[in-house]
Amino acid sequence: MIEKLHTILLWTALIHGCQTATQASSCKSIPGDATWPSATAWRLLNETVDGRLLIASPPGSVCHTDQTTYDDDRCRAVQSAWSSEFFHADDPVSVEWNNWTNDSCLPDSRAHCTANGYPTFVVNATTPLHVKAGIDFARRHSIRLVVKNSGHDYLGRSTAPNSLSIWVHHMRGVAWHPTSFTPKGCHFSIGGLAMTAGAGTQMIDAYRLAAEMNRTVVGGNGRSVALGGYVTGGGHSILSPRHGLAVDQILEMEMVAPSGDVLTLNECQNADLFWAMRGGGGSTFGVLTSVTMKTYESPRVMNMQFSLTTSAENDHALDAVAYVLGQFPGLVDSGISGYPVVVNSVPIWPGSNQTVPVSGMTGKLAMLDATSPENMTQLFAPILAYLHETWPGEYSFLADITSYPTFYAWYLENYDPTPAGYDNLLGSRLLDRRALTANATATRWALERFAAGGQATVLLVSGKGVFDARPRGGGTSVSPAWRRAYAHAAISAPFLPLNETAQREAIERVNSATEALRELAPDSGAYINEANPWEPDWQRTFWGDNYPRLLQIKRAVDPEDVFWCTPCVGSEGWEERENRLCRVRA
Ligand SMILES: Cc1cc2nc3c(=O)[nH]c(=O)nc-3n(C[C@H](O)[C@H](O)[C@H](O)COP(=O)(O)OP(=O)(O)OC[C@H]3O[C@@H](n4cnc5c(N)ncnc54)[C@H](O)[C@@H]3O)c2cc1C
Ligand SMILES: *[C@@H]1O[C@H](CO)[C@@H](O)[C@H](O)[C@H]1NC(C)=O
Ligand SMILES: *[C@@H]1O[C@H](CO)[C@@H](O)[C@H](O)[C@H]1NC(C)=O
Ligand SMILES: *[C@@H]1O[C@H](CO)[C@@H](O)[C@H](O)[C@H]1NC(C)=O
Ligand SMILES: *[C@@H]1O[C@H](CO)[C@@H](O)[C@H](O)[C@H]1NC(C)=O
Ligand SMILES: *[C@@H]1O[C@H](CO)[C@@H](O)[C@H](O)[C@H]1NC(C)=O
Ligand SMILES: *[C@@H]1O[C@H](CO)[C@@H](O)[C@H](O)[C@H]1NC(C)=O
Ligand SMILES: *[C@@H]1O[C@H](CO)[C@@H](O)[C@H](O)[C@H]1NC(C)=O
Ligand SMILES: *[C@@H]1O[C@H](CO)[C@@H](O)[C@H](O)[C@H]1NC(C)=O
Ligand SMILES: *[C@@H]1O[C@H](CO)[C@@H](O)[C@H](O)[C@H]1NC(C)=O
């Protein structure tokens, strides 16, 4: 779903007024301030990072005649690559969702191009010492610091104007611990093959390298999603209902703290940070440089591509969907995971011959180590029988079942193909058994608002493995709602660039969808990595009862707020004023 870039309103470049002394002292420095580091200071930083300091121009600048980088051929190349997740991941400053660079330099000659949405300097880090140099510099000079990895972030946490960015994309590759792993400083070892991976390692590479060892890891479904943001936020997978979240697999982490110290985190040392970095969110407690995780024997994967649809005019279309959602906990308990999508009055369903709008559900479901397709179809038989009894002949069910010998074989054909390069917001909620099963009428009315945009996902990426997980050190900081959730329900709201009406409508759409789910699951929470950045009561929503301890750790490890993002732990005392970050209270 790529929104075409439309004719764009131009705006006059932001002019920074004179800063009063109080403003300057309570805000992070930006170029032009007397406190902004001198050219010499930047040159010294460049030396410290082995010449890896970049001034990166926004990639869209090649499309703008008023930019020195203007180049028509390169512009065409950038335009055609813009919807590729890998293009943004491989660029030092680009991010996947245009809004977070404030649509400030789209590859469209009709738009304006300023660097106002982008970092000013980038450290292209490959070692913890490069990371340390960047952190130390930002701390000493009171400059806004961001961490970019793949730039996938749906909440805009991986970019900021007038900042120094630490780009960890090239900190990748893996090392194996063939039979066991001894966490540093511990007097015991943990059996099984473990993988130590650089924080920039992307899913597709982690899976491929693990497959070479005949193993797999608990990972996500986007190919270029990197471990850094994924694991610090929690990390869900179709393997999670069996093995737990990604954070539950972690044996050790290495990071650079806001103080510049390179630290090893595990259950024997820095246990507080070890807990906080497993779910407390990216770019908050420091920069993860590598992570050591358990690996698993690769399961066989039985995949069912299905659709269960009825005419959208059918006034009980959503009643049937609500009924099926009520069956999800049972299905998950029987070994089903995957990515169902609710469709609500979608004009023509691709791949079907439907020419009238349909409603219902479609998507991919997986069953691990099933030996025959009947293992899956049997589970659906009673559901289909109920639908047929209740609404005879009204629902059509199509299922295409394919068996894959390994997780990697499954993944190569069934990864998340979401294109990038447009303005987009997400909204989500974790749904537990009660929310899904207690009251089908309430579910139906929630669906009406939740799926008002036409499509809504209800991912089956939690279950027994997440409930019974035994993470090292006794716990992780992900929202406790994960430990009861059967489904992670999410919608996305794409919107036109540089259009305040469209932006406001997207925020309203997401707020209305998430409000419906909050009413359905009031005691639950949401997954920080795939959520509405404008959640009210975000501390409780993303971290629940873990928030006070997370905040305490943040204050202890980062008293000067070297790291700041929103909605992130401890971000309350600061505010973005246009393109400047200012402290508003202690
Ligand atoms: C197509 C697609 C599919 C997805 N599928 C899944 C899925 O199956 N399961 C799932 O759980 N999530 C999934 N996600 C969400 C994904 O986990 C988040 O977008 C995550 O934030 C991406 O992390 P990143 O490092 O790649 O991205 P970035 O945008 O670079 O970083 C995300 C956040 O983490 C911070 N960060 C990154 N690296 C580090 C580091 N080394 N140290 C400290 N902070 C760091 C950044 O500053 C930012 O705050 C998907 C996203 C997309 C776009
Ligand atoms: C950093 O040093 C390298 C190598 O000398 C140079 O190529 C690069 O342009 C420098 N970066 C900046 C921002 O000056
Ligand atoms: C888009 O990003 C800008 C900052 O870059 C922010 O001010 C604005 O609120 C964002 N819009 C949405 C809908 O999130
Ligand atoms: C960043 O560093 C990597 C690894 O050394 C290198 O391959 C890449 O070209 C660098 N990127 C830029 C834009 O300098
Ligand atoms: C993986 O399994 C294949 C087939 O069983 C075997 O030939 C190969 O040696 C195994 N590789 C490793 C690294 O164990
Ligand atoms: C769609 O219609 C074509 C031509 O009538 C037919 O060959 C095909 O099997 C139909 N596909 C489905 C999914 O019904
Ligand atoms: C799958 O079905 C086969 C044969 O019908 C049965 O023996 C097996 O136990 C089932 N496996 C699972 C995981 O349900
Ligand atoms: C179920 O939800 C509906 C709609 O919200 C509500 O009217 C009804 O009272 C609820 N039923 C029960 C038993 O709680
Ligand atoms: C801006 O968005 C609104 C709402 O989506 C739309 O009606 C309007 O046509 C858009 N304006 C432009 C100039 O594209
Ligand atoms: C984003 O751009 C708008 C103009 O379109 C501007 O008013 C706003 O201040 C910018 N936001 C940031 C965070 O730079």
Side-chain angles (χ1 to χ4, degrees), residues 237-258:
S237 165
I238 63 155
L239 303 179
S240 294
R242 176 181 280 189
H243 295 304
L245 298 171
V247 284
D248 300 327
Q249 319 308 325
I250 297 178
L251 310 180
E252 183 166 285
M253 296 164 121
E254 185 191 63
M255 70 174 283
V256 188

Side-chain angles (χ1 to χ4, degrees), residues 97 147-154 157-158 168 199 220-222 225-226 228-230 235-236 282-283 286-288 339 416 418 527 529-530:
W97 315 110
V147 184
K148 187 200 160 193
N149 201 330
S150 75
H152 254 306
D153 198 43
Y154 286 112
R157 297 170 296 169
S158 42
V168 297
N221 205 30
V225 164
Y230 174 79
H236 64 70
S283 48
V287 177
L288 181 74
Y339 304 120
D416 186 337
T418 311
Y527 176 37
N529 277 350
E530 295 177 304

Side-chain angles (χ1 to χ4, degrees), residues 367-372 374-375 378:
M367 193 172 183
L368 307 182
D369 296 323
T371 48
S372 107
E374 277 79 55
N375 290 135
Q378 263 167 19

Side-chain angles (χ1 to χ4, degrees), residues 52 54 90 92 124-126 167 170:
R52 311 182 67 85
L54 312 172
D90 292 343
N124 183 8
T126 57
W167 188 33
H170 290 285

Side-chain angles (χ1 to χ4, degrees), residues 128-139:
L129 289 179
H130 297 149
V131 174
K132 173 183 167 49
I135 294 176
D136 286 343
F137 191 84
R139 189 186 62 248

